[in-house]
Amino acid sequence: MPSRRKEPLSAADNLPTSGCVVRKHLGVYFSLFGAWFFLASFITASSIANDLRSAQLKFLEYANSLYREIDNRVQANEAVLEGITAFLGVSGTLNDGAPISRYAQLVRARHPQIAQIEVVEGVARKNLPHFIARKRASGLPEFQIRSFSYDSGRSWRSIDDKPWYYPIVLMEPMPKESKGILGLDMDSVPSMRLAMNASGHHEHTVATHPFRLVQGDSAYVMFRPVVPLHTTGARSGDETRLFASLVIKTQSILPSLGADLPGLRFSLYHADFPAHKPEGELIHFERHGRSALETYLFPKLRYERKLETKSQPFILLAEQQLGWPALDFRQLAAILAITLLLFGFLLRFVLSHRRNELERCQTESRFAYLATHDALTGLANRNLFMDRLMHAMARAHRCDTRLALLFLDLDKFKQVNDTYGHGVGDQLLKIVAERICSCVREDDTVARLSGDEFVVVLESITTHQGAATAAHVINDKLVQPFHINGETLNIDVSIGTAIYPDDSEDIEELINIADAAMYAVKGSDRSLPLSGQLSFEELTR
């Protein structure tokens, strides 16, 4: 039980209130800030998700538009090839190439994606000399049948000995630098031979794998057999001696990209190859690479769809790695400003609420303090003194020990008030309290009961002699002069003592014995403080 007096309260005193405010409202504050954080996160995440959805819809719209344009172009290629084979089937001969050349010119004028229209004619080995002589006589003096290595070396070479040859016999257009291609044996090129044989066998259009032309451009070739008008029923590949073909430069089927989609990558590849394998790619395009951070934070959109035409089994693959441009930073900035404003209002509310709670708790603490302490001296008051004395007696009883109770009264204190005023009297009481507290231990209790009456509970004193010694120490301290407001005051003090449980085991009786002993001192020669060792009747006589 600490005895050191507390400084009396003033209007500016701030009592400890952290437990009253923080522990009581910490959960509420955390809930409020948690709700703000959740709301801000939800709105921001919703905005970002909406931006990403918009970017996805834009990507899908663009990819579908790209798919439709490419699909329309490749279907147009097949329709053109069907028209050419039908024209050749009606004419039935290539003796006069002028009509088919004029027709091819008209077709190319309407379909600029077609790089070249070619006619391939099958020639048996036994007819080869006569065939070459006929072509040279028709105005192609340097005509000869040759093969070209597309896969290795990319060079012209002589033909092998075989039963049939399939040279190019007509080209439209045919610039001077392309005349050397006349006579190219399509059967000598593996990819061309496979596509041409499949086309002749099934009598429909077949496209080759992508390759590089003699000129170096990426292209593919479409073959379709020519069936003469007078022929009925299906024929085998060897019986079909005439093929029409279109050379399609791959870049020509690429429409205008139009929309600016950062991070866009797309390719058109043959279905016989896996995606992103260079050998199977007809078109490859990539725009604006992304940083590693964007790749980690943002999703990649993917669109893959096969073209509807069976003759050109191509697959469109479009990918877009989203990045920072996908976000609407103006909207995010507005959200950030609003959430920060809400945070400011919330913080202001919390601080105001905490300040109000602090004031309320300080008021409660002040009332609680005043209920247990003397407002002038800061010592324990009667209520706190009685509680501490009761607990001290209970401990002494439990531990089979004793305690001493000292009852002090300042003599002629009323004369000080009357002579020097209540202000000096109050200062005197404060100094008296300080001096008493300086004479006892930290665990002892000093209290002011009323006016000029003080009591001290000494749990370390177990005998009347010890109590008398403690009373002498206090008396010597209090009889020293007091210097207040330039005045020097001297006072006397009367001290009575009582020992628990020797004098009494009842708290009220113990106090009365110490009180009676104190009053007996007032009428004595003050040689010693009186104690409960005298009978109660002797003390009150």
Side-chain angles (χ1 to χ4, degrees):
M1 295 182 296
S3 67
R4 296 302 180 216
R5 77 186 189 93
K6 296 183 179 180
E7 291 298 326
L9 289 177
S10 65
D13 285 335
N14 291 322
L15 296 175
T17 56
S18 58
C20 176
V21 178
V22 177
R23 286 196 296 269
K24 184 176 181 180
H25 299 287
L26 187 61
V28 176
Y29 296 156
F30 270 117
S31 299
L32 288 175
F33 284 109
W36 169 85
F37 181 78
F38 174 80
L39 180 63
S41 301
F42 176 77
I43 294 175
T44 303
S46 298
S47 176
I48 293 174
N50 184 63
D51 291 341
L52 295 180
R53 279 194 299 269
S54 298
Q56 183 179 22
L57 291 176
K58 185 177 180 181
F59 168 76
L60 290 176
E61 182 180 357
Y62 175 80
N64 282 323
S65 174
L66 189 65
Y67 172 86
R68 287 192 299 269
E69 290 193 44
I70 293 177
D71 191 63
N72 289 338
R73 293 191 181 193
V74 299
Q75 289 196 41
N77 295 339
E78 185 169 2
V80 167
L81 188 56
E82 289 178 358
I84 293 173
T85 56
F87 185 88
L88 290 172
V90 170
S91 62
T93 179
L94 282 176
N95 293 333
D96 183 7
I100 185 61
S101 294
R102 286 195 297 271
Y103 179 77
Q105 290 172 4
L106 293 173
V107 167
R108 288 192 68 255
R110 296 185 60 184
H111 301 279
Q113 75 272 17
I114 299 175
Q116 208 158 40
I117 299 174
E118 299 174 344
V119 178
V120 178
E121 185 175 353
V123 182
R125 179 175 52 191
K126 62 181 180 178
N127 298 329
L128 195 58
H130 175 71
F131 178 79
I132 294 176
R134 180 162 56 86
K135 287 298 180 182
R136 290 177 176 178
S138 67
L140 298 171
E142 299 179 358
F143 182 86
Q144 60 179 332
I145 299 178
R146 298 178 298 172
S147 66
F148 185 82
S149 174
Y150 284 95
D151 299 328
S152 61
R154 297 188 61 79
S155 61
W156 291 99
R157 62 186 181 183
S158 59
I159 58 176
D160 298 328
D161 186 25
K162 54 185 179 178
W164 285 88
Y165 302 87
Y166 289 87
I168 299 175
V169 296
L170 185 143
M171 296 172 55
E172 182 60 44
M174 190 172 63
K176 291 182 180 180
E177 60 271 15
S178 298
K179 283 187 177 182
I181 299 177
L182 281 175
L184 171 63
D185 181 21
M186 291 291 199
D187 188 66
S188 66
V189 183
S191 60
M192 305 291 181
R193 180 172 61 249
L194 290 174
M196 193 166 53
N197 289 343
S199 174
H201 180 73
H202 297 290
E203 295 190 352
H204 63 64
T205 304
V206 176
T208 67
H209 292 162
F211 66 98
R212 292 200 173 276
L213 296 170
V214 176
Q215 298 89 338
D217 298 322
S218 177
Y220 69 95
V221 178
M222 299 170 61
F223 289 97
R224 188 177 180 86
V226 176
V227 180
L229 185 61
H230 59 79
T231 303
T232 58
R235 302 191 307 176
S236 66
D238 286 346
E239 293 172 344
T240 301
R241 299 294 180 263
L242 205 61
F243 291 88
S245 67
L246 299 181
V247 179
I248 310 296
K249 291 184 178 180
T250 56
Q251 290 298 322
S252 66
I253 61 176
L254 178 64
S256 174
L257 297 179
D260 182 21
L261 296 178
L264 177 66
R265 174 184 180 183
F266 73 85
S267 64
L268 186 68
Y269 65 95
H270 198 286
D272 291 345
F273 297 87
H276 303 309
K277 191 170 184 180
E279 294 85 346
E281 285 186 330
L282 290 87
I283 301 172
H284 179 84
F285 176 84
E286 189 167 351
R287 173 184 289 169
H288 305 311
R290 291 296 185 194
S291 65
L293 181 61
E294 288 176 302
T295 303
Y296 177 77
L297 293 177
F298 292 90
K300 175 185 278 189
L301 306 179
R302 182 183 175 92
Y303 177 97
E304 189 171 19
R305 185 177 177 185
K306 189 174 182 180
L307 301 185
E308 294 182 359
T309 174
K310 295 182 179 180
S311 63
Q312 300 166 85
F314 305 145
I315 298 174
L316 175 65
L317 172 62
E319 296 175 317
Q320 184 186 11
Q321 175 61 58
L322 298 181
W324 301 117
L327 303 181
D328 186 350
F329 283 99
R330 289 182 298 179
Q331 180 172 306
L332 289 176
I335 292 174
L336 178 62
I338 294 174
T339 53
L340 289 178
L341 185 63
L342 289 176
F343 180 81
F345 283 126
L346 178 61
L347 184 61
R348 184 176 179 181
F349 166 77
V350 168
L351 293 177
S352 175
H353 181 268
R354 184 175 183 275
R355 184 170 57 253
N356 293 337
E357 287 297 306
L358 282 172
E359 293 176 357
R360 182 183 63 81
C361 288
Q362 286 178 353
T363 302
E364 292 179 356
S365 298
R366 184 176 289 107
F367 287 152
Y369 177 88
L370 293 176
T372 57
H373 291 79
D374 177 52
L376 177 64
T377 63
L379 296 176
N381 64 8
R382 178 178 290 275
N383 294 331
L384 183 57
F385 161 72
M386 294 295 289
D387 179 73
R388 289 185 178 179
L389 179 58
M390 179 177 64
H391 284 85
M393 292 170 64
R395 275 194 299 273
H397 176 74
R398 187 167 58 251
C399 299
D400 193 22
T401 60
R402 293 173 173 78
L403 63 84
L405 175 65
L406 275 62
F407 204 110
L408 296 79
D409 183 82
L410 304 181
D411 297 336
K412 301 179 181 179
F413 175 72
K414 184 175 183 302
Q415 295 179 5
V416 174
N417 277 336
D418 294 341
T419 303
Y420 300 100
H422 289 280
V424 173
D426 291 344
Q427 291 296 319
L428 176 62
L429 291 176
K430 291 180 181 180
I431 299 174
V432 167
E434 292 176 357
R435 291 187 181 184
I436 295 174
C437 288
S438 67
C439 297
V440 298
R441 299 185 318 152
E442 189 76 26
D443 293 337
D444 296 326
T445 297
V446 180
R448 180 189 178 204
L449 298 185
S450 63
D452 56 355
E453 292 182 341
F454 296 85
V455 288
V456 180
V457 180
L458 303 173
E459 294 190 59
S460 59
I461 303 299
T462 59
T463 66
H464 286 284
Q465 183 60 39
T469 301
H472 273 301
V473 171
I474 296 174
N475 182 76
D476 292 344
K477 194 77 171 179
L478 294 181
V479 296
Q480 295 178 12
F482 292 84
H483 303 285
I484 302 173
N485 294 342
E487 301 290 344
T488 299
L489 305 179
N490 293 282
I491 62 170
D492 293 324
V493 61
S494 300
I495 305 176
T497 65
I499 299 295
Y500 170 87
D502 296 355
D503 294 328
S504 176
E505 295 184 4
D506 179 74
I507 187 171
E508 293 292 344
E509 185 177 355
L510 188 68
I511 294 172
N512 289 336
I513 291 174
D515 184 35
M518 179 272 296
Y519 276 107
V521 170
K522 283 183 178 292
S524 70
D525 60 0
R526 302 184 181 276
S527 59
L528 283 174
L530 297 183
S531 72
Q533 286 182 306
L534 301 177
S535 67
F536 186 76
E537 291 77 10
E538 291 176 312
L539 290 173
T540 56
R541 187 171 48 198

